[in-house]
Structures are given as C-alpha cells and as structure tokens.
Amino acid sequence: MSVADNLQRLTGPYEQRSWLQRIPAAWWAVAVILLFMPVVANDFWLFQVMGWTFILGMIGLSLMFLAGYGGMVSLLQMTVAGVAGYMVAILGPSGANVSLGLAWWVVIPAAFLIAAIFATISGALAVRTDGIYTIMITLAIAAAFFYFTRQNYSIFNGYSGFNLVLPPKLFGVNWRDPMAFYYLSLACATLCYGAVVYISRSPFGLALQGVRDNPRRMAALGFNVTAHRVAAYALASIFASTGGILLVWQNAQIAPGTIGISAAIDVLVVAVVGGLRRPLGPFIGALIYVLLQVFSADILGLFGFSADRFKLIIGIGFLAIVLFSPDGVLALWDRWRARVDARKAAETRGAP
Amino acid sequence: MNAPVAPARMNQIGAGQAGSGNALELRGITKMFGALAAISDVTLSVRPGERRAVLGSNGAGKTTLFNCITGDFLPTAGLIRFFGEDVTVFPPHERIRRGLRRTYQISSLFAGLSVIDNVYLACVGVSRNRFSLIRPRPDDALMHAANMLVDAVHLTAEKNRLVGELAYGQQRQLEIALALSGAPRFVLFDEPAAGLSPTERTDLIHILTALPNHIGYIIIEHDMDVALRVVESVTMMHNGRIFKEGRPEDIEDDPEVQELYLGGGHG
C-alpha cells in the first residue's frame, strides 16, 4: 500500500469538468439503484439487510480509515460504536430505569463527544505500539469495556442492557419505519463515505498516509507523528459512532453482547473481506457478511448443518480472501477489469 | 542539465532571520551504542549562514552526528543549541519547526506520490495546516511555495510524475527541495552528491551556492571536488572524534589529512 492508492493526484493538470461530471457512470447506476430500492424491496430487505449493511459498513469504514490510510489495525472500532450506542441508551429515554431520558439534541452530540474522547484516549495508548501489539492493545481495551458493561449495573445496566431505545420522532417521522430507516442509514453512510474520500486528499489525509509509509521521514518534515495518529483515531470515531447510534435504533436495544469480542472481530472480517485500501471496501464486505448471515441458514440446511454454523461459511470465505486476494473482494474486481481491458486492447491492436 | 537558478528566485526561499550567536552549537556530544562510542566528545559551533563540510572515512560518525542534531537519536551525553535554544532533548519535529532541515544519505521520499505532492507535504509539515481537513485549492499558498521549490531544484518538467519513476539524480534533487521547505535556517546535507553523474554534480554545486546567504549548512560529502567548492570551513572526523578543523585549502594540503583520508584508498 502506498500513497499512490489515491489515484487522483492532489495537483496535476487542473480539471475543467465540475466534480459532478467527474463521477463515473457506474456510480450513477449505484445511486439510482440505492435511491429507488424501496420501490421494489420488501421491509425485511430494507430494514434488516440494507440497514445493517450500511451500519456495519460505517463501523468497518472507521477501521479502513485507520488501517488503510494510517497503517493501524484497530480492533476497537466496534467498541467505539458501542460507547456511542450505550450513551444514547443511557442519556436518552429507554425501557431501563437507569436511563436519564434527556432530549435527543443533548443525547446525540454527547454520544459523539464521549465516544470521541474514549477513542482518543484509547488511541493515545495504542499508537505507541506497532503491528501485532496495536491489535493486542485495542483488543484488550475492547474486552475490558465488554466485561465492564456486563458487570456494571449502576450505569450500563449490566447483563440485560437497555431495551426500547427508540429514535426521536423528528419531523413527525417514525425513523424505525423500514423505509425511513433505510434512507436515514443510506444518507449517513453516503456522508461518511464522502467524508473519508475527501479527507484522504486533504493535508491531514495525505500526511496520515505519509506517516503510514515513512514515519521517520514525516518527523523530519516537521510532523508530530504521534499526534497525527491519535487525531486519526479521534476522526475515525465519528464514523464508528454514527454506525453505533444507528445500530441501537435499529435493534431498539443494546446489551454487552452487541459489543463483544466476536463483534469486534466481525468488523475486522468485514473490512478485510471488502478491502482495506479503499473506502468502498467495508461496505462491500458488510453486504457480503450480512447476506451470508441472513441466507446461510438455508444453504447450511441443505447440507444438514445447523444455522448457527454460518460463521463457518464466513470463516472459510475470510480464509479464501486472505489467501488469494489479500486486498479484498475489490482487488478481485480490479484484476478482472484489468484482464478485460487488456483483452480489449489486444483485440483493437489485432484488428486492421 | 539546467542553467543555474536566478538568485532572485532562490532568495524567496525561507524568510528565517539569522539570530545572534551561533546557528548550531554542540558541546561534548557523545553517542554510545552499547559499549561502542559512535561519536565521542564532539564540540562544534557553526555561525548563522556558515557553510561547513564534515569529512571522514566510513564509520567516522558523520551520519550519527547528523542523527543526534536532528533528534533521530538522543545523545548519551552533551548539549545541542540551535540558535541559542537548548534543543538537546527535543523530538525531531520540534527542531524541524524551528528551521532545522536535513536530507538523507539514501533517498527517503514518498515514491507513490508525485514530485509536487512530496514537496507539498514538506511545506505542510512546517505550516499550521498540518491537521487541515480541507483540500488545497489551485491558488493555495503552500502549493505555490511547493511549485517554487520544484523550480529551484530544476524539476519543473517532472512536477507531476510519480517520484518512483524519477531517475536517481532527480530523486536526490528532490531530497534537497524537501529540505528547503518553509523557512529553513540551517540544513544538514548527508552525501547529496553520492551516485550523481558529473553533470548532475555541477548542477548540485549550482543549487548549493545559489542558496540565500542566511541559510547555513553542514554537508557530509566524499567527493572533495564538490565538498570543498561549496563550503568555507571543514571539520575532519576520525573514529568518532573531531580530528582537525580549518579552511578547505588548509585541509586539502594537510599531510596528516592526506595520509588518513585522501590516501586511504577512497579515491
């Protein structure tokens, strides 16, 4: 991975076309499909499959930002999402009597803020380590927070967690209605995706990729490498928190199980399967993960396995991706495109 | 390769002012690696704007000295002052922000970025925009500064090429551009002529002599023809210690130096 992954150079001949005209046709097609999906899709598809895909994609995106651009593999992102989700349940109204029941316009900013503080402190601990040790430290923090929520009843309501955590009825809309929730999560995912693409070519984003490729040289250019890495954790928390808050609303509840070790690892699987090099990767990975989880019961049933074994399929898929295409499904797509292009070029050359 | 740069253009690089006293002052710098002293008791002072060569055979401790000055290594003992300020324990980025710059012996660039983006990053590093989330506009001031630096090291034609595609000599020129970003007050050049062709060496001499007067530097260089033409004083190092100091012509004629260094089969 190198800074060159940003194919569009920062400078280069100044583009005459507006940014709207520069969007490739395939993206318009995806946009149309996503916008009009509620016309054909049923509630289960909109709410469970697509809603969950967007949420998991956003949490995966925060990992992609740290790992792909910053070279820091963090297992903490589900926990950051969980902190934001828990804050919504604790500070806002819920079915549990430890909730404070504050108004949404206090609760949501507070959830983002507290999750960002949590991510910054954890990041400050993690960035002093490299490689496997970053994974270990972030996993340790994730595990500590999981056990803490399970044992603490005065704030986190322990094992049972919070139920009846509902989104505010803003503009008179029930945001848990499948179509409304679909558009809400689609809008959030699009915003997060766009933010990551934009930031990747800002001074901060470029410098983050420089830190990934050659930290010593970056220090010799005047960059505080540690501060840059910690800031990346803080920034990534915004994407994870957005996913976390939507997750609580989608499930209408949060409990320690939501943020357990297996959930933390699922986020890594999602991001790696989709591809860590580009912001689109985690969303592709999330879609594959959700489809497998939803439909593997039927497939497994054919072979006489129980539906609980769907992680077997995901595990095998993960193994195949890591072995054959370490840069994820998106890299497979790239390779296929390159081969098609090469064949086309050969044909035009062959034709008289 | 190219004509020498117009001094007017070079003078726009860096507006750092020369303070009173010494630009760089080392007192009793010692760096131990285990039981091995890479450098011992090095005391050295360089005036603002002074240009000095550090010579010595391989293993004399020249690059270790640079690493101590930039903060890549903390010295085991001794004191480093940069324009009067004690920077001995400062992290590298704090020293860079105060106007210290360095190039690396082995090109240490971002190969996947274009030439202009490399220089732009260097300009961002010593600006307040380090954490900016806003993409630069075409009329961005830092981008303008980066363009000027690219011109100054004669790489205008290669501006949008990826650094990985550049010829070796061009990468060395780019190293120099990165070291001149922002407002440099003092530059450490680590063997800038290594691996360059004779034409490229001439070009390098032009670049170095065209630097504004207030920018001092220390250059480590094996090629005496380059080193002695771009400096006014020379420090000889041997086995981690300062062996001799003087003007280039004295050092060149010194029999002890010739015995130790020039006659030592280094060519």
Side-chain angles (χ1 to χ4, degrees):
Chain A
M1 280 194 277
S2 79
V3 190
D5 301 342
N6 285 314
L7 289 176
Q8 269 172 299
R9 313 249 177 92
L10 193 62
T11 48
Y14 184 60
E15 282 268 10
Q16 293 301 313
R17 294 176 301 162
S18 78
W19 64 273
L20 262 179
Q21 288 167 306
R22 271 183 275 152
I23 297 175
W27 285 89
W28 287 111
V30 172
V32 168
I33 291 172
L34 288 177
L35 278 175
F36 291 99
M37 188 172 283
V39 179
V40 286
N42 63 22
D43 284 357
F44 174 77
W45 182 266
L46 289 179
F47 190 74
Q48 287 299 333
V49 176
M50 293 312 290
W52 195 15
T53 296
F54 292 136
I55 290 167
L56 211 50
M58 277 181 270
I59 302 171
L61 181 70
S62 77
L63 170 60
M64 177 274 148
F65 184 76
L66 289 174
Y69 293 145
M72 301 174 282
V73 180
S74 156
L75 282 177
L76 196 68
Q77 299 318 107
M78 190 66 215
T79 310
V80 173
V83 170
Y86 258 112
M87 286 308 134
V88 166
I90 293 167
L91 301 174
S94 88
N97 50 15
V98 289
S99 283
L100 299 177
L102 301 175
W104 65 268
W105 48 266
V106 179
V107 170
I108 294 172
F112 274 103
L113 188 69
I114 293 168
I117 293 170
F118 174 80
T120 307
I121 296 171
S122 310
L125 284 172
V127 296
R128 291 168 196 286
T129 59
D130 261 330
I132 185 91
Y133 299 102
T134 308
I135 299 177
M136 298 282 287
I137 278 211
T138 50
L139 183 63
I141 298 171
F145 186 70
F146 165 65
Y147 286 111
F148 180 69
T149 55
R150 217 167 63 164
Q151 287 160 13
N152 178 289
Y153 280 85
S154 54
I155 303 171
F156 290 94
N157 208 27
Y159 197 81
S160 43
F162 298 82
N163 57 5
L164 292 173
V165 189
L166 301 173
K169 282 214 165 28
L170 217 56
F171 310 116
V173 177
N174 173 15
W175 292 102
R176 276 199 88 226
D177 171 71
M179 197 196 288
F181 189 81
Y182 171 82
Y183 280 120
L184 177 66
S185 51
L186 171 63
C188 289
T190 310
L191 277 177
C192 288
Y193 173 81
V196 169
V197 170
Y198 181 85
I199 290 168
S200 70
R201 278 167 243 137
S202 69
F204 176 80
L206 269 179
L208 186 63
Q209 294 164 75
V211 167
R212 172 196 68 198
D213 290 347
N214 194 344
R216 189 172 160 214
R217 183 57 198 246
M218 288 303 281
L221 293 179
F223 290 93
N224 183 343
V225 170
T226 307
H228 235 84
R229 287 178 169 154
V230 174
Y233 270 92
L235 200 61
S237 81
I238 298 172
F239 315 127
S241 299
T242 311
I245 292 170
L246 287 172
L247 184 64
V248 182
W249 287 343
Q250 189 200 29
N251 294 338
Q253 60 104 32
I254 187 164
T258 319
I259 56 157
I261 306 300
S262 83
I265 291 169
D266 286 347
V267 172
L268 179 69
V269 170
V270 158
V272 170
V273 164
L276 275 174
R277 287 168 59 138
R278 267 174 291 172
L280 188 61
F283 291 100
I284 304 284
L287 182 63
I288 295 173
Y289 179 92
V290 170
L291 288 177
L292 275 178
Q293 172 136 16
V294 170
F295 295 109
S296 60
D298 304 330
I299 305 167
L300 285 165
L302 291 178
F303 298 98
F305 290 113
S306 120
D308 302 338
R309 299 256 180 264
F310 91 97
K311 289 222 166 159
L312 186 71
I313 294 191
I314 290 183
I316 292 170
F318 182 73
L319 211 62
I321 289 286
V322 169
L323 281 177
F324 299 112
S325 178
D327 288 325
V329 176
L330 273 180
L332 286 179
W333 166 256
D334 284 344
R335 251 180 273 165
W336 179 78
R337 279 282 295 270
R339 212 175 304 152
V340 170
D341 285 350
R343 203 176 304 150
K344 259 192 216 154
E347 275 166 18
T348 24
R349 245 181 290 125
Chain B
M1 196 186 303
N2 279 305
V5 198
R9 159 135 295 164
M10 283 307 260
N11 276 322
Q12 293 174 43
I13 298 167
Q17 73 289 356
S20 59
N22 285 320
L24 187 66
E25 204 180 319
L26 309 181
R27 256 191 265 150
I29 293 295
T30 300
K31 176 67 192 174
M32 308 287 293
F33 291 108
L36 176 84
I39 47 177
S40 35
D41 199 22
V42 169
T43 296
L44 183 80
S45 47
V46 190
R47 284 174 286 109
E50 185 182 336
R51 282 130 200 236
R52 176 179 302 225
V54 172
L55 306 179
S57 50
N58 289 329
K62 299 170 306 228
T63 299
T64 306
L65 183 69
F66 271 20
N67 285 334
C68 285
I69 298 173
T70 52
D72 284 21
F73 302 153
L74 287 184
T76 315
L79 180 83
I80 303 170
R81 281 184 193 283
F82 188 64
F83 286 91
E85 189 177 8
D86 182 355
V87 298
T88 316
V89 295
F90 278 27
H93 65 264
E94 288 293 345
R95 306 179 197 215
I96 302 300
R97 291 175 194 177
R98 282 166 173 74
L100 182 68
R101 300 284 186 277
R102 84 170 288 182
T103 68
Y104 285 85
Q105 198 173 353
I106 298 151
S107 282
S108 160
L109 302 159
F110 303 100
L113 274 183
S114 67
V115 169
I116 184 72
D117 286 357
N118 267 266
V119 184
Y120 176 73
L121 259 188
C123 292
V124 170
V126 286
S127 75
R128 293 204 183 127
N129 283 27
R130 284 182 288 265
F131 289 93
S132 169
L133 298 176
I134 311 293
R135 287 191 194 179
R137 301 174 61 84
D139 58 349
D140 186 80
L142 290 173
M143 194 57 86
H144 180 71
N147 272 307
M148 253 178 44
L149 280 168
V150 170
D151 294 347
V153 297
H154 314 165
L155 286 174
T156 317
E158 324 294 333
K159 199 165 84 174
N160 291 310
R161 282 180 66 191
L162 289 185
V163 167
E165 302 168 356
L166 292 187
Y168 179 77
Q170 292 171 324
Q171 296 196 7
R172 307 294 320 202
Q173 282 167 297
L174 184 56
E175 273 281 331
I176 294 173
L178 296 199
L180 297 177
S181 61
R185 295 200 284 178
F186 200 85
V187 188
L188 307 172
F189 292 107
D190 197 347
E191 294 205 35
L196 295 189
S197 70
T199 342
E200 288 168 335
R201 279 169 197 238
T202 317
D203 214 37
L204 174 71
I205 292 171
H206 284 313
I207 291 172
L208 291 179
T209 46
L211 284 177
N213 288 331
H214 71 268
I215 301 180
Y217 57 73
I218 296 181
I219 181 169
I220 296 176
E221 190 48 70
H222 276 294
D223 183 343
M224 292 294 234
D225 289 336
V226 174
L228 299 182
R229 281 177 64 185
V230 296
V231 299
E232 58 217 55
S233 56
V234 177
T235 298
M236 281 286 306
M237 283 183 77
H238 185 59
N239 286 340
R241 288 176 185 279
I242 291 187
F243 172 67
K244 200 148 266 188
E245 284 187 297
R247 291 180 303 153
E249 50 273 30
D250 301 335
I251 292 288
E252 217 174 357
D253 297 337
D254 191 298
E256 267 187 311
V257 170
Q258 292 194 343
E259 164 88 14
L260 192 80
Y261 183 54
L262 303 173
H266 287 283

